[in-house]
Amino acid sequence: MTLGNCLFHARKKCGFSQEDVAEKLGVSRQTIPCFEGYFISGMEKKKGEVLK
């Protein structure tokens, strides 16, 4: 399971909306789907490979 999947499922399990999570993290609501989508798409693997 990717980090994006973990974030998404944890948010849903806790019954939080994207807006709830964004408020708790101090970011805009639009940021949360970017986090979830970015990590779900597997981009974290590509970025990690670039950083090595």
Side-chain angles (χ1 to χ4, degrees):
M1 183 179 285
T2 65
L3 181 56
N5 283 330
C6 290
L7 292 170
F8 174 79
H9 291 294
R11 178 175 65 77
K12 290 295 190 177
K13 183 177 180 180
C14 293
F16 292 148
S17 67
Q18 291 178 341
E19 189 169 350
D20 295 332
V21 174
E23 186 177 310
K24 291 178 186 305
L25 295 177
V27 298
S28 71
R29 190 214 46 85
Q30 293 87 349
T31 303
I32 302 306
C34 290
F35 287 162
E36 291 175 351
Y38 178 82
F39 289 116
I40 288 172
S41 71
M43 290 298 291
E44 80 280 6
K45 183 180 281 186
K46 291 178 187 171
K47 185 161 181 92
E49 290 171 1
V50 171
L51 294 176
K52 287 183 181 179

